[in-house]
């Protein structure tokens, strides 16, 4: 019976992959999968209906309540950076200080983008900063596909140490901490992907002879000068978490209030509270659809853990026990993180995690970064199904094929290198 049910669940898993690749609504897809897997778990004797209500339907969303709150505060912090004009000022000063070397300017802008997104999160922040960065890159003579790809891959680079994204993954991989054990890998992976962006720019611009620098800085509208000490704001949450061991919400609150205070956005109680309320509301709107996904996904995660014996019956003899073989497979198959495939956590990869964890062969310390790599290198950085990537394509009038041909090879190379880094650090 376990073998038959395991086959049925695997078939449903591949149907989910097909559904995700065709652009299906993932929130609906995972909800249906949770129903199916709970149903067969009850038939197989692994679960009762009362247990399903408590552990899956109620316990699943409740278990990610804390993660959802962190996502909201992270998105609010992104809105604060935009409202105070810290993000635009940081970009403007980067262009001003980079001199007359267009390639150097472009590389510095990508590094600054990575810096901003080490703590900033949300589609709203990506869009608001992209509206500033992308016209500058294109005015420098960077071809549109290359400009869009370099910007989005730079956003992805910062996500390796972004505590908001980390907490979302932590909701799936419990007992995994945002500490130096992970951050040694996170900063290394950030550096590897940033290096790939730089090499991509050098390779892509090698034949460009002329650039238009005239409108680069003037295109950034800035109402007033931002104090130089305000420009450290994007890294404050990360520094507080790393150096002092702060939790993310207090870190985001302190950084946001610091930004508002030093930029003169708190002239009095009435205006200050109105601004905080408005930016918090905008931050919630930015991540509203993500929150729906985050509340449905843990239902499926709970169901996949309960269904572990069925996968053991089918896959027990086929899952490799060698960490090296698993890492080589991930390095080769990284493009399966595209189109919400089986190697992105924001797609069918959640089911992959459920299966791998259910097998009990590999430790969380290895599986966490392994799943993180294709999620960031492919899904967040180079896949047209990601919401902010789709916005950038529409904004710049770049086709999905051009975007993927430009970015996927470099994202794949960055991901493969990071998989090997992961192996040597954790396996």
């Amino acid at each position: 019976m376990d073998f038959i049910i395991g086959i049925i669940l695997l078939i449903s898993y591949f149907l989910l992959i097909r559904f995700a690749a065709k652009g299906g609504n993932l929130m609906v897809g995972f909800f249906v999968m949770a129903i199916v897997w709970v149903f067969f778990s009850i038939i197989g004797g692994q679960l009762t209906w009362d247990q399903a209500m408590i552990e899956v339907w109620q316990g699943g969303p409740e278990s990610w309540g804390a993660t959802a709150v962190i996502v909201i505060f992270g998105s609010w912090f992104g809105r604060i950076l935009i409202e105070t004009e810290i993000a635009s000022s940081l970009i403007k000063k980067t262009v001003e200080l980079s001199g007359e070397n267009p390639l150097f300017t472009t590389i510095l802008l990508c590094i600054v983008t990575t810096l901003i997104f080490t703590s900033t999160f949300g589609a709203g922040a990506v869009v608001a900063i992209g509206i500033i960065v992308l016209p500058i890159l294109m005015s420098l003579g960077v071809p549109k596909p290359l400009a869009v790809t370099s910007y989005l891959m730079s956003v992805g680079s910062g996500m390796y140490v972004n505590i908001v994204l980390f907490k979302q993954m932590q909701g799936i991989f419990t007992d995994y901490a945002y500490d130096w054990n992970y951050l040694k890998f996170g900063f290394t992976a950030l550096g590897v992907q940033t290096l790939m962006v730089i090499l991509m720019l050098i390779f892509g611009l090698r034949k460009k002879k002329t650039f238009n620098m005239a409108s680069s800085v003037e295109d950034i509208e800035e109402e007033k000068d931002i104090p130089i000490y305000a420009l450290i704001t994007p890294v404050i949450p990360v520094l507080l978490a790393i150096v002092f061991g702060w939790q993310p919400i207090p870190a985001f609150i302190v950084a946001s209030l610091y930004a508002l205070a030093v930029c003169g956005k708190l002239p009095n109680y009435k205006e200050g509270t109105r601004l905080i309320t408005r930016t918090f509301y905008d931050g919630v709107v930015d991540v509203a659809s993500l929150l729906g996904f985050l509340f449905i996904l843990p239902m499926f995660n709970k169901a996949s853990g309960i269904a572990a014996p069925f996968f053991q019956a089918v896959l027990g003899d086929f899952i490799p026990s060698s960490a090296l073989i698993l890492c080589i497979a991930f390095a080769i198959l990284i493009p399966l993180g595209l189109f919400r495939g089986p190697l992105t956590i924001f797609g069918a990869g959640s089911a992959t995690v459920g299966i791998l964890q259910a097998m009990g062969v590999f430790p969380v310390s290895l599986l966490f970064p392994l799943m993180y790599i294709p999620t960031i290198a492919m899904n967040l950085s180079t896949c047209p199904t990601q919401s902010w990537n789709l916005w950038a394509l529409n904004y710049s009038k770049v086709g999905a094929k051009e975007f993927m041909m430009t970015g996927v090879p470099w994202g794949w190379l960055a991901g493969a290198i990071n998989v090997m880094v992961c192996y040597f650090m954790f396996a």
Side-chain angles (χ1 to χ4, degrees):
M1 173 67 80
D2 285 1
F3 184 85
I4 294 174
I5 292 177
I7 292 295
I8 294 173
L9 296 186
L10 279 176
I11 291 173
S12 68
Y13 166 68
F14 289 115
L15 289 175
L16 174 66
I17 294 174
R18 183 174 181 272
F19 176 77
K22 297 187 72 168
N25 186 299
L26 286 176
M27 186 170 70
V28 174
F30 278 112
F31 182 67
V32 172
M33 285 285 285
I35 293 174
V36 172
W37 287 25
V38 163
F39 173 76
F40 281 103
S41 293
I42 292 175
I43 291 178
Q46 295 296 324
L47 192 67
T48 67
W49 172 244
D50 288 340
Q51 289 174 326
M53 283 194 296
I54 295 172
E55 297 179 23
V56 178
W57 312 119
Q58 185 71 23
E62 284 182 346
S63 68
W64 270 33
T67 300
V69 174
I70 293 170
V71 171
I72 290 172
F73 274 88
S75 183
W76 173 55
F77 177 64
R79 280 289 169 182
I80 292 294
L81 288 182
I82 295 164
E83 185 71 28
T84 57
E85 300 175 44
I86 288 174
S88 60
S89 180
L90 189 59
I91 293 166
K92 179 175 181 178
K93 292 185 184 301
T94 299
V95 176
E96 290 175 339
L97 295 173
S98 60
E100 293 299 318
N101 187 323
L103 176 60
F104 184 55
T105 302
T106 304
I107 291 173
L108 279 185
L109 281 175
C110 290
I111 292 174
V112 168
T113 298
T114 295
L115 176 70
I116 290 172
F117 284 96
T118 57
S119 57
T120 306
F121 189 83
V126 177
V127 170
I129 295 172
I131 289 174
I132 302 169
V133 172
L134 289 176
I136 295 175
L137 293 178
M138 288 183 282
S139 74
L140 292 172
V142 181
K144 285 185 178 182
L146 184 59
V148 170
T149 303
S150 61
Y151 171 65
L152 295 175
M153 285 188 67
S154 298
V155 172
S157 295
M159 291 296 167
Y160 277 107
V161 296
N162 188 295
I163 197 168
V164 180
L165 184 65
F166 183 94
K167 287 293 181 179
Q168 294 177 48
M169 287 282 286
Q170 196 179 46
I172 299 173
F173 295 92
T174 55
D175 301 323
Y176 194 81
Y178 187 81
D179 56 18
W180 275 115
N181 286 328
Y182 168 75
L183 286 171
K184 285 185 294 185
F185 165 77
F187 280 111
T188 302
L190 179 155
V192 168
Q193 182 152 319
T194 301
L195 177 61
M196 290 303 107
V197 173
I198 293 172
L199 292 176
M200 178 179 67
L201 287 169
I202 293 173
F203 181 81
L205 297 176
R206 68 193 187 284
K207 295 180 180 179
K208 298 294 292 184
K209 300 299 184 183
T210 59
F211 295 81
N212 177 18
M213 294 286 289
S215 61
S216 299
V217 177
E218 289 75 8
D219 285 343
I220 306 176
E221 296 181 2
E222 189 174 5
E223 295 181 1
K224 64 173 187 175
D225 290 331
I226 300 298
I228 191 69
Y229 45 84
L231 301 182
I232 67 170
T233 303
V235 299
I236 288 178
V238 176
L239 289 177
L240 290 175
I242 295 173
V243 179
F244 300 105
W246 280 39
Q247 293 297 307
I249 292 177
F252 282 131
I253 292 174
V254 167
S256 298
L257 292 179
Y258 171 82
L260 292 171
V262 300
C263 293
K265 295 293 184 177
L266 298 174
N268 55 61
Y269 174 81
K270 184 177 181 180
E271 290 187 26
T273 53
R274 185 184 294 119
L275 176 61
I276 291 173
T277 301
R278 176 169 57 79
T279 52
F280 199 87
Y281 172 85
D282 290 340
V284 174
V285 171
D286 287 342
V287 294
S289 59
L290 175 61
L291 291 176
F293 177 77
L294 290 181
F295 287 130
I296 295 297
L297 181 58
M299 294 181 184
F300 173 76
N301 291 336
K302 293 283 186 179
S304 64
I306 293 167
F310 306 124
F311 294 112
Q312 183 68 41
V314 178
L315 300 173
D317 296 331
F318 299 98
I319 297 294
S321 58
S322 168
L324 178 60
I325 293 176
L326 181 69
C327 289
I328 291 174
F330 263 74
I332 294 172
L333 299 175
I334 278 176
L336 292 181
L338 294 167
F339 298 106
R340 308 293 176 173
L343 290 188
T344 174
I345 208 68
F346 298 114
S350 296
T352 304
V353 169
I355 293 173
L356 288 174
Q357 285 189 314
M359 304 306 298
V361 178
F362 302 103
V364 171
S365 60
L366 177 64
L367 291 180
F368 185 103
L370 271 185
M371 287 302 300
Y372 222 22
I373 291 166
T375 296
I376 293 175
M378 291 288 108
N379 182 205
L380 298 187
S381 301
T382 62
C383 181
T385 65
Q386 174 64 25
S387 60
W388 58 59
N389 293 352
L390 184 59
W391 165 82
L393 297 182
N394 291 331
Y395 175 78
S396 59
K397 303 297 188 294
V398 171
K401 183 178 179 180
E402 291 178 289
F403 171 57
M404 293 180 65
M405 289 180 65
T406 303
V408 169
W410 295 99
W412 192 349
L413 180 57
I417 294 173
N418 281 330
V419 167
M420 292 300 102
V421 170
C422 174
Y423 171 75
F424 287 111
M425 282 190 174
F426 301 112

